Amino acid sequence: MQESVSTSRELDEEVADHRDPDYEIDPLFVNRWSPRAMTGEPLDEEEYLPLFEAARWAPSAFNNQHWRFIYASREDEEWDTFADLLLGGNEEWATDAAVLAVIVSKTTFDHNGEPAPVHSFDTGAAWQNLALEGARRGLAVHGMAGFDYERAAEELDVPEEFEVEAMFAVGERAPAESLPEELQEREQPSDRKPVDEIAFQGGFE
């Protein structure tokens, strides 16, 4: 069980071995990465519901709060429905999660029913909040595109005005050795492109 929340203002040792920020920022952003190795143990609601609490405070156009999270814990009868959506090798590790969730976003504005062009953008902000809070708590939080989007919409009764965006897994971290051999060497924080490759002054370069 997760017993403490990190208040560290330093880079985690495993992160510092692989990441070196170009500029000084809060270590929370750099310490977040996407582990796959999870113990398969359940989490109490008090340990994972705060992640959704963090997500709900994300910004959105007209405060529409486009995001919705449909989830099952491994103790729920719906667990197999979520696990059966996994594709692309994700079933090899994500079934050891404590929680599986599908993210959907409302494609229209509540106040006028018109299309909301930034619904995915705003929902991504909510996901980032969730992932950062999970990292702060020492949990493994891993987003996925490898799942059946059409079946997710159908089997989870997603309304027509919502779009399926992504899926993610949350769980207690486990040693990399618990993963299939081909995934073990990937179980480490990845680096990022430098700032000058993603931010362009005055025009796209």
Side-chain angles (χ1 to χ4, degrees):
M1 294 295 181
Q2 197 69 28
E3 296 181 351
S4 62
V5 176
S6 172
T7 57
S8 172
R9 307 300 291 185
E10 303 293 336
L11 290 183
D12 294 339
E13 183 176 348
E14 65 178 338
V15 171
D17 288 341
H18 299 278
R19 293 178 168 179
D20 184 18
D22 290 348
Y23 298 93
E24 183 179 349
I25 59 173
D26 194 295
L28 174 68
F29 299 103
V30 188
N31 282 334
R32 189 222 62 80
W33 62 288
S34 302
R36 291 180 176 85
M38 305 184 199
T39 64
E41 294 297 317
L43 290 172
D44 292 335
E45 285 190 342
E46 292 77 10
E47 296 176 276
Y48 65 81
L49 287 182
L51 279 62
F52 299 117
E53 173 69 19
R56 83 183 184 102
W57 293 102
S60 61
F62 291 97
N63 195 28
N64 207 68
Q65 303 167 52
H66 312 275
W67 48 85
R68 303 292 187 273
F69 302 96
I70 310 166
Y71 72 92
S73 75
R74 64 183 309 108
E75 297 176 314
D76 293 334
E77 62 181 25
E78 297 87 357
W79 174 260
D80 288 342
T81 299
F82 285 74
D84 288 344
L85 297 174
L86 298 169
L87 300 173
N90 287 329
E91 65 274 14
E92 295 183 25
W93 60 269
T95 49
D96 285 332
V99 176
L100 290 173
V102 171
I103 308 172
V104 305
S105 64
K106 191 170 187 289
T107 61
T108 57
F109 287 117
D110 293 341
H111 68 282
N112 61 11
E114 293 295 318
V118 294
H119 66 91
S120 293
F121 178 84
D122 292 344
T123 298
W127 151 250
Q128 177 74 339
N129 277 16
L130 185 153
L132 288 172
E133 181 62 20
R136 193 177 75 90
R137 292 172 175 268
L139 295 170
V141 182
H142 194 111
M144 297 174 284
F147 68 101
D148 193 320
Y149 282 68
E150 291 185 4
R151 283 186 54 217
E154 180 179 352
E155 297 189 20
L156 302 180
D157 299 318
V158 177
E160 287 187 3
E161 66 269 27
F162 285 82
E163 182 174 310
V164 177
E165 299 281 3
M167 195 167 177
F168 67 89
V170 179
E172 290 279 4
R173 290 192 59 185
E177 291 73 24
S178 66
L179 290 169
E181 186 173 351
E182 66 272 15
L183 292 178
Q184 291 181 22
E185 64 182 31
R186 298 170 60 187
E187 189 69 354
Q188 62 186 32
S190 56
D191 202 359
R192 292 294 187 272
K193 296 175 181 177
V195 169
D196 62 11
E197 289 188 17
I198 64 167
F200 311 129
Q201 185 175 11
F204 196 98
E205 294 183 7

